[in-house]
Amino acid sequence: MRIFLPLKSTHKLQTTLPNPSLPSPPKYFSPTHLDSLINTTTQTKNINHATQIHAQIITHNYTSLPFLFTNLVNLYAKCGQINHSLTLFSTTRNESKNVVTWTSLITHLSRYKRPFLALKMFNQMGSTGVYPNQYTFSAILPACADTVVVIHGQQMHSLICKHGYELDLFVATALVSMYAKCGDMSLAENVFDEMPERNLVSWNCMIVGFLQNEIYDRAVGFFKDIMGEMLSPDQVSFSSVLSACANIGVADSGKQVHGVAVKHGVISLAYVKNSLMDMYFKCGSSSDGTKLFKTIGDKDVVTYNIMVMGCVQNDNFEEACNYFWVMEREGVPPDETSFSTVLHAAANLAALDQGTLIHNQIIKYGLGTNPCVTSSLIAMYAKCGSLDDAHRVFEESKDRNVVSWTAMISACQQHGCAIQVIELFEEMLEEGIKPDFITLVCVLSACGHTGRVEEGFAYFNSMSKVHDMSPGPEHYACMVDLLGRAGRLKEAKNFAESMPIKPDAMVWGALLGACRSHGDLEMGREVAEKLFEIEPHNPGNYILLSNMYSRRGMLKEANEVRRLMGFNGVRKEPGCSWIDVKNKTFVFTAHDRSHSRTIEIYEMLGKLEALAKRKGYVPETHYAINDVGKYKEQRLWFHSEKLALAFGLLTLPMGVPIRIKKNLRTCGDCHTVMKIASEVFEREIIVRDINRFHRFTGGLCSCGDYW
């Protein structure tokens, strides 16, 4: 039976003490009864009931009782009203506060991730003459960890030693956790080694610490030590060591842990099974991960998320989408991780229809304003070739963070809208958003694709001078590409050789591409030889050099490069293009005649060729490197993207964009034909190749022929 009395105002804290001359309270409002009501309300977390109890405590002059006052502070915090706890605490005399009260408030401030206020309260406690005990130190150490400033923890460590609690099991365990979260595993291990007594929590803190600091082999080693200590690992131990095995990428260690989990009878725990699934997927054992998934009876959103993410990690994008819809049919509500992952799958498939359906579900579940989800939506629409939809999502998003801005900037960069990239970047800086690693890659790439050499160097130099960021290999590759595209090949080579870090394949690859574009065979040969040493199994480098020889008429040398490919066991990936029509994907390879409408497709190609020649089209036969004589020109028209274009012209209604995807870089001749087709047929044609998007309209391409 509830006995809460209704009050006119239930949310304002009443801190004025009543007249002490009032008669004694009735028996049912005794301190014990009110304490029982506090315990009950702590379970229900009803703030209205909490304020009513508070009123009764004030009315009956019980605020001077430390145990009631402490429990009331706890009650407000557990009801989600930490500010009420602070107000109550600050307006109550110190006589009502003991070490338990102070420790309770510090504990809640730590849990509410207000570490600096927790440290402030800890200092105030000392100034009132209340000394901390082992529980106080155990409560304040997580706050020190949350500041991520190890000096705070070291100062607290000194104070702990001064008070003689350094050997206490719980305090020492909290010290280990604090040092680990601050990124200093050597100090964490020193504390751990000096502990006279350790429990499973202590061991788990070390394993989790090594995992968080990416020292995966030590995490696995400590798990083995747990077994040697004859301790029984729990689900925290198993999930942590399995994450370490996943990051190492070695399934054998994970399988051994799997066996230990079975032996200890924890394999039925969902937490352990989810970690095992994640480990198998990350180690490339999709079949084992899928088998585990099928054995889990009561699957929650985490289980499905791991399954969908596992499919994505192993490039099974269609399966990822299928499992997402299975989750929907099973009535498991997806969360932001679910949507971000499946949007990534749809983006890699370039499946716009699939992405649109997922967008509808996002709106249904009210996650349309979630920054993580909106960033994934922007990326999905951009990779599916719909820059307008990506921009619309960006404009409608409210809380834009660096990820949202970078997603939009990256979308524009992929679509060749270099000027818009720079405009967005400047707008982002004006909004006070600090760019990240990827943002600067997009900006530098945009400068390279518009020939803005001086501006590009200004942005590059601003990384260290303004944004406190050290350039990585990607940024240096962008700068080499920037100089190379501008025809300043010697400067590009000097820049690469003078880098403070060793140039990698990205850097030399950018220079090789520039050598091909500007016909510098001598430098191209030198750069290609470096690439053959760095990545001997990348066919693109061989093809680029062979093409350069062919364009110079040096067929013997070109054939020699191709023989070298065969000697090294390198094979060029066959080129293919695909196009979606009425929710069905049609794939074309070069010279493809497998389609049921092959005759119509080739007739359309003949019509397109005649129209193109009227527009002044001249075949770029150097792209037909494996053909000779009259066949060069003819076979250029059998490239996979041209076949897909012809099919799109036959099947897609007027006004609908033709979206083509290709697994390799589109050739220059196809690029020219796409421009002409967009003008002749008055169609928008969007081609996504391995490098970027090309949006053709009115005889022009978004890349400005500078790609």
Side-chain angles (χ1 to χ4, degrees), residues 38 61 97 131 195 222 231 258 263 324 330 438 450 480 521 535 609 644 668 694:
I38 289 175
N61 199 19
K97 306 167 187 173
Y131 293 103
M195 291 174 67
F222 262 72
L231 290 170
H258 189 167
K263 181 179 178 181
F324 172 81
E330 293 296 321
I438 300 172
T450 51
V480 171
L521 180 58
E535 44 179 20
E609 181 179 5
H694 299 270

Side-chain angles (χ1 to χ4, degrees), residues 27-184:
K27 183 177 181 180
Y28 51 81
F29 281 135
S30 68
T32 303
H33 197 150
L34 287 170
D35 188 47
S36 176
L37 289 175
I38 289 175
N39 291 333
T40 302
T41 307
T42 300
Q43 302 300 317
T44 62
K45 296 180 174 59
N46 189 313
I47 186 61
N48 290 333
H49 293 173
T51 53
Q52 290 178 34
I53 294 169
H54 187 180
Q56 294 302 324
I57 290 174
I58 293 172
T59 300
H60 297 92
N61 199 19
Y62 291 153
T63 54
S64 60
L65 298 175
F67 82 95
L68 271 183
F69 175 65
T70 301
N71 289 344
L72 191 58
V73 169
N74 283 333
L75 176 58
Y76 277 128
K78 290 182 179 179
C79 288
Q81 301 293 329
I82 188 65
N83 288 334
H84 280 25
S85 296
L86 286 166
T87 303
L88 172 63
F89 196 87
S90 63
T91 55
T92 303
R93 293 190 300 266
N94 287 333
E95 289 78 8
S96 302
K97 306 167 187 173
N98 57 19
V99 66
V100 178
T101 314
W102 283 97
T103 299
S104 178
L105 182 65
I106 290 168
T107 300
H108 289 300
L109 288 172
S110 292
R111 289 174 180 170
Y112 272 84
K113 300 301 178 184
R114 298 175 74 171
F116 292 101
L117 187 54
L119 288 168
K120 180 181 177 182
M121 286 296 172
F122 181 85
N123 291 332
Q124 284 185 8
M125 179 182 70
S127 65
T128 62
V130 178
Y131 293 103
N133 59 20
Q134 66 269 40
Y135 303 108
T136 317
F137 285 119
S138 296
I140 194 61
L141 283 169
C144 296
D146 286 336
T147 67
V148 200
V149 180
V150 72
I151 191 66
H152 292 152
Q154 289 176 314
Q155 290 174 346
M156 197 61 63
H157 192 172
S158 298
L159 200 58
I160 288 167
C161 293
K162 180 179 177 181
H163 284 78
Y165 291 118
E166 70 275 15
L167 300 181
D168 180 88
L169 174 62
F170 299 105
V171 174
T173 300
L175 273 170
V176 169
S177 178
M178 179 274 297
Y179 280 128
K181 288 179 179 177
C182 288
D184 198 326

Side-chain angles (χ1 to χ4, degrees), residues 191-212:
V191 174
F192 183 83
D193 290 340
E194 292 173 1
M195 291 174 67
E197 179 189 0
R198 302 170 189 141
N199 60 11
L200 183 60
V201 178
S202 313
W203 284 93
N204 283 348
C205 281
M206 286 299 295
I207 295 174
V208 172
F210 283 123
L211 177 65
Q212 290 170 339

Side-chain angles (χ1 to χ4, degrees), residues 1 3 26 45 50 77 116 176 185 233 252 366 379 402 426 442 457 492 570 590 597 619 633 680 682 696 698-699:
M1 178 178 177
I3 58 171
K45 296 180 174 59
F116 292 101
V176 169
M185 285 308 298
D252 290 343
V402 64
E426 291 296 337
C442 296
F457 269 95
V570 181
R597 300 182 67 176
E633 179 179 342
V680 170
E682 297 181 351
F696 303 93

Side-chain angles (χ1 to χ4, degrees), residues 329-388:
R329 289 196 298 271
E330 293 296 321
V332 179
D335 59 13
E336 64 179 72
T337 302
S338 319
F339 285 118
S340 295
T341 308
V342 75
L343 284 170
H344 182 70
N348 278 277
L349 290 170
L352 183 59
D353 292 340
Q354 184 81 235
T356 303
L357 290 173
I358 297 167
H359 193 173
N360 292 338
Q361 294 300 105
I362 289 168
I363 295 170
K364 172 185 171 182
Y365 285 99
L367 290 170
T369 58
N370 182 286
C372 181
V373 174
T374 55
S375 300
S376 299
L377 270 171
I378 292 167
M380 181 276 295
Y381 278 122
K383 290 182 178 180
C384 290
S386 184
L387 187 60
D388 289 340

Side-chain angles (χ1 to χ4, degrees), residues 346-353 383-385 575-581 584-588 640-642 644-645 658-664 666 674 685-690 692-693:
N348 278 277
L349 290 170
L352 183 59
D353 292 340
K383 290 182 178 180
C384 290
C576 67
S577 299
W578 60 100
I579 183 172
D580 295 328
V581 177
K584 186 176 180 181
T585 301
F586 297 87
V587 182
F588 295 89
S640 62
E641 54 263 62
K642 289 192 180 85
L645 171 63
I658 298 174
R659 304 177 191 275
I660 300 168
K661 285 81 70 176
K662 186 175 181 181
N663 64 332
L664 303 175
T666 190
M674 296 290 174
I685 303 169
I686 300 168
V687 178
R688 169 186 168 182
D689 69 11
I690 196 171
R692 64 189 305 105
F693 280 89

